[in-house]
Amino acid sequence: MKDARIYEHPILTFNRKNKVTFTFEGKTIEAYQGESILAALYAIGISAFTKTPFGSMGPFCMIGKCSSCFVKVNNIPYIRSCKEPVREGIKVERQWDLPDIPQVSNHKKTSMRTKDVDLLVVGAGPAGLSASIEAAKRGLKVLLVDEHFKAGGQLVKQTHKFFGSKELMGGLRGFQIAEKLVKEAIENNVEILLQSSVFGYFKEGVYGIATPRGLIKVNAKTAIISTGATERFLIFKGNYLPGVMGAGGAQTLMNEYGVKPGNVAIVVGAGNVGLIIAYQLLQAGVKVKAVLEIMPEIGGWFVHAAKIRRLGVPILVSHTLLEARGLDHVESAIIAGVDKNFKPIANSEMEIKCDLILLAVGLRPDSRLLAQMGAKMKWIPELGGLVPLHDEYFETTIPGVYVAGDASGIEEATTAILSGKIAGLSAGMKIIGYQRDLIEERERLIRELYKTRETKFSKRVIAGLSKVIISR
């Protein structure tokens, strides 16, 4: 089996000191501690995990937001292989069909622990970490929960340097920002609970959390929901084929685990995400044939576009993807030019040989928990979809429950950090009181947030916020 792991990278180094051996469908697999099951399997060429009526489907998002990588681990079904770390001796099988009810021998009844906290933060990305730090600095007892087995959210796979002031960590790469925020959270006594999910909100402010060691009933005085976003999909012929992947999914494989998602790629979408992922593919040794953009101009920063153009990657505006072709994996893509109504132009079709098609076509807020909790929601296209109504301090219509980051509307990591800080301060003041210095600091952060939105990319966001911000 060919090893698709990356061993030379201009920015990243990957820790592969400790080997882990497990079995996959009867075969012995060698992996490395810190890899997910999915990354370990993808590295040796296993890319199909799910069956569809049309054929096998490969992983798409790599962050546990979709259902394309379910496996059985030690006969337990519905395990997302993208979020499950490799462990010595485990038995892994693909979950091709609906599974049988697992028969667990020597089952012991799991007791439910109870935990009381001042603030529960759901999601350990830039918003959740920033919120936790701000609240903990003010003496709050903070519990930060995340489904992944490492904290940092999408920052852990970002290798580009961020714009902005030193306070907002401008000049640092995404994974460096993640490391800094996690370190600061730990230094301020934030309790971080990983591989855990908040599965429901119950009466009297009680949250149910499922952890590897059992269930926890959390009584929280306040809460901040910073659950991030999910990648959008596209409808086209062959979109189920392994090798059709979200841009963020490819970033996870390349930059978090050091595994090449393919050898030859096209990228659909020339916003900042599409342009950045194209450059990161080149850094990982993947050839990029083209970046497609259905609009007549690119949607991202010129500096990102210039970098890939200098390296010979064409950006084809007014073009779209029509079809992915292949037997059991992507082998080529059919693209075409579009007219001013975004309809394919007759006889403009072109076939591009590739084994990877990355979709960078936008994100959707992951606001499901807030909807379940009973927060008033509204569909705001400018913010990416369904978002909770909230005030300028990020408090939702549920008193004491706040939202931060992409769950409140799709923006950038810098605004996620700022919204997290504002929400964290707001939760703190709800408990310790509205002290003058805290009010002044929150107002300063709000002004800074408005300032970061003074770009051409924020006009749409500002229009959306006018529909979602409520006054008390």
Side-chain angles (χ1 to χ4, degrees), residues 57-198:
M57 184 175 183
F60 180 74
C61 78
M62 313 290 182
I63 57 171
K65 303 285 189 180
C66 69
S67 57
S68 63
C69 68
F70 281 142
V71 294
K72 292 189 286 184
V73 178
N74 294 338
N75 295 317
I76 304 297
Y78 294 114
I79 303 295
R80 284 183 166 89
S81 57
C82 66
K83 300 179 75 66
E84 189 73 12
V86 294
R87 302 186 302 282
E88 187 67 36
I90 57 173
K91 175 187 173 185
V92 180
E93 303 169 86
R94 276 176 283 209
Q95 188 179 309
W96 285 123
D97 302 302
L98 289 176
D100 296 324
I101 297 174
Q103 301 298 316
V104 181
S105 60
N106 300 321
H107 176 71
K108 296 180 181 179
K109 185 177 180 180
T110 302
S111 60
M112 182 181 289
R113 295 177 287 149
T114 300
K115 183 181 286 289
D116 297 319
V117 299
D118 294 320
L119 172 63
L120 170 67
V121 181
V122 186
L129 283 165
S130 300
S132 299
I133 292 164
E134 288 299 319
K137 282 181 178 179
R138 274 74 193 184
L140 271 67
K141 183 179 181 182
V142 180
L143 175 63
L144 175 59
V145 180
D146 197 274
E147 293 181 332
H148 197 20
F149 55 87
K150 62 176 74 173
Q154 304 313 297
L155 287 174
V156 300
K157 59 192 183 186
Q158 302 299 339
T159 60
H160 63 285
K161 290 183 178 180
F162 280 67
F163 302 130
S165 65
K166 186 176 181 181
E167 179 194 1
L168 295 174
M169 302 183 217
L172 293 179
R173 302 184 190 278
F175 67 89
Q176 295 171 324
I177 297 173
E179 291 168 359
K180 186 173 181 179
L181 289 174
V182 171
K183 182 174 182 288
E184 192 173 356
I186 293 171
E187 289 173 346
N188 282 280
N189 299 313
V190 173
E191 182 181 356
I192 303 176
L193 197 60
L194 301 177
Q195 283 188 273
S196 302
S197 60
V198 178

Side-chain angles (χ1 to χ4, degrees), residues 407-460:
S408 64
I410 304 303
E411 292 191 74
E412 302 287 343
T414 300
T415 54
I417 290 171
L418 285 166
S419 67
K421 285 175 175 284
I422 294 166
L425 273 175
S426 299
M429 286 188 278
K430 182 77 73 170
I431 293 173
I432 64 176
Y434 292 81
Q435 301 170 15
R436 184 179 181 86
D437 61 329
L438 300 183
I439 294 173
E440 290 176 350
E441 174 63 6
R442 187 171 68 173
E443 292 303 315
R444 184 189 70 82
L445 289 169
I446 290 172
R447 290 194 298 271
E448 188 69 25
L449 179 59
Y450 287 152
K451 186 177 178 180
T452 63
R453 289 172 174 157
E454 293 175 352
T455 73
K456 67 174 183 177
F457 301 110
S458 296
K459 291 180 180 179
R460 183 175 172 85

Side-chain angles (χ1 to χ4, degrees), residues 200-464:
Y201 176 72
F202 304 90
K203 289 181 179 179
E204 300 176 352
V206 174
Y207 298 80
I209 301 180
T211 81
R213 294 173 297 281
L215 302 178
I216 304 177
K217 182 173 70 174
V218 174
N219 299 302
K221 296 176 183 176
T222 57
I224 297 173
I225 312 303
S226 51
T227 42
T230 61
E231 291 198 86
R232 293 184 179 275
F233 202 54
L234 276 182
I235 297 175
F236 56 90
K237 189 175 180 180
N239 64 359
Y240 59 87
L241 281 170
V244 175
M245 190 182 298
Q251 284 182 319
T252 297
L253 279 175
M254 290 188 302
N255 301 339
E256 190 172 345
Y257 300 116
V259 175
K260 290 172 64 174
N263 294 305
V264 182
I266 66 166
V267 178
V268 183
N272 282 324
V273 172
L275 299 173
I276 288 169
I277 191 64
Y279 186 70
Q280 291 177 354
L281 286 166
L282 296 171
Q283 289 178 312
V286 179
K287 184 175 182 179
V288 181
K289 287 287 191 73
V291 175
L292 310 183
E293 174 54 58
I294 196 169
M295 300 298 289
E297 60 182 20
I298 65 171
W301 290 103
F302 173 79
V303 64
H304 296 315
K307 284 167 70 174
I308 63 171
R309 280 173 169 150
R310 284 197 300 268
L311 293 170
V313 177
I315 302 174
L316 306 179
V317 296
S318 297
H319 276 75
T320 193
L321 173 67
L322 297 181
E323 179 182 350
R325 289 182 178 176
L327 295 177
D328 56 4
H329 195 97
V330 170
E331 297 173 16
S332 67
I334 306 299
I335 71 170
V338 297
D339 59 25
K340 63 181 181 180
N341 297 314
F342 308 114
K343 300 296 184 183
I345 298 171
N347 301 317
S348 68
E349 295 88 354
M350 177 171 40
E351 184 172 12
I352 297 178
K353 297 293 183 182
C354 60
D355 63 357
L356 181 64
I357 296 173
L358 294 190
L359 305 183
V361 291
L363 301 170
R364 180 181 293 111
D366 185 357
S367 55
R368 293 171 294 174
L369 179 58
L370 283 160
Q372 184 269 322
M373 293 171 70
K376 289 185 179 179
M377 313 291 290
K378 190 171 183 180
W379 185 270
I380 309 292
E382 296 92 339
L383 299 179
L386 192 66
V387 293
L389 303 181
H390 61 83
D391 62 19
E392 64 176 332
Y393 307 122
F394 292 93
E395 188 172 20
T396 68
T397 54
I398 305 174
V401 176
Y402 302 82
V403 65
D406 281 348
S408 64
I410 304 303
E411 292 191 74
E412 302 287 343
T414 300
T415 54
I417 290 171
L418 285 166
S419 67
K421 285 175 175 284
I422 294 166
L425 273 175
S426 299
M429 286 188 278
K430 182 77 73 170
I431 293 173
I432 64 176
Y434 292 81
Q435 301 170 15
R436 184 179 181 86
D437 61 329
L438 300 183
I439 294 173
E440 290 176 350
E441 174 63 6
R442 187 171 68 173
E443 292 303 315
R444 184 189 70 82
L445 289 169
I446 290 172
R447 290 194 298 271
E448 188 69 25
L449 179 59
Y450 287 152
K451 186 177 178 180
T452 63
R453 289 172 174 157
E454 293 175 352
T455 73
K456 67 174 183 177
F457 301 110
S458 296
K459 291 180 180 179
R460 183 175 172 85
V461 170
I462 292 169

